[in-house]
Amino acid sequence: EPGVVFANPQNITIDDDAWIDHGVQVLAGPDRSDRPRRQIPNDHFQHPRGHVHIGRRVHLASGSQILGLGGVRIEDDSCLAGGARIISFSNHYRNEVDVDEPCTFSSAAYGGAHTQFLIEGPVTLGRNVGLASNAMVLPGVHLGADCFVTIASVVKGSFPENSLLTGNPAV
């Protein structure tokens, strides 16, 4: 639909019958900066870093966002409701590599690498996973098949199939 934003479309694959509403943002492609970061592993992600894969019959509702610089895979028949977000790459409030090194925190991209620290980890959603409105999935998460995340919940960590997740952090 009109108003959909794809950043770095060469790093995005979309299978048949996916439905992407207006106002959806899908950002892909690996971050190539030298900014320090913590990598969160996800053994379920088998694509190159920064790749976003959207499976068959996946619905991305209006206002949903995929920040896929760390990589995202959404299996068939899954859905992101309005305002739901998948975040595989984000700024962090302190430097975890040089913990004794003073660091002036800046979340601005132009603050310089010495003022930033990043969290990066691919996110994978199994088949038939639903994220309700304004739900958020953080870097490194894997949700098994048939999971559901309730409204405005924040998922940190991975969960097996058939999990119902609610809260902040979601459990």
Side-chain angles (χ1 to χ4, degrees), residues 76-98:
D76 300 348
D77 302 310
S78 294
C79 177
L80 275 66
R85 293 176 304 276
I86 295 176
I87 301 171
S88 67
F89 180 89
S90 185
N91 289 86
H92 192 53
Y93 70 95
R94 70 179 183 91
N95 187 325
E96 293 181 347
V97 173
D98 300 317

Side-chain angles (χ1 to χ4, degrees), residues 42-79:
N42 184 335
D43 295 336
H44 299 275
F45 188 75
Q46 304 300 320
H47 298 283
R49 189 169 147 246
H51 185 82
V52 173
H53 173 80
I54 299 168
R56 289 178 176 79
R57 297 173 303 280
V58 168
H59 179 211
L60 304 178
S62 183
S64 59
Q65 298 177 322
I66 298 173
L67 183 54
L69 283 71
V72 172
R73 181 173 180 86
I74 303 171
E75 295 291 342
D76 300 348
D77 302 310
S78 294
C79 177

Side-chain angles (χ1 to χ4, degrees), residues 21-43:
D21 290 348
H22 65 278
V24 170
Q25 295 179 345
V26 180
L27 311 179
D31 174 64
R32 299 189 198 291
S33 75
D34 61 354
R35 296 177 289 182
R37 69 194 72 214
R38 175 169 37 116
Q39 295 280 142
I40 302 171
N42 184 335
D43 295 336

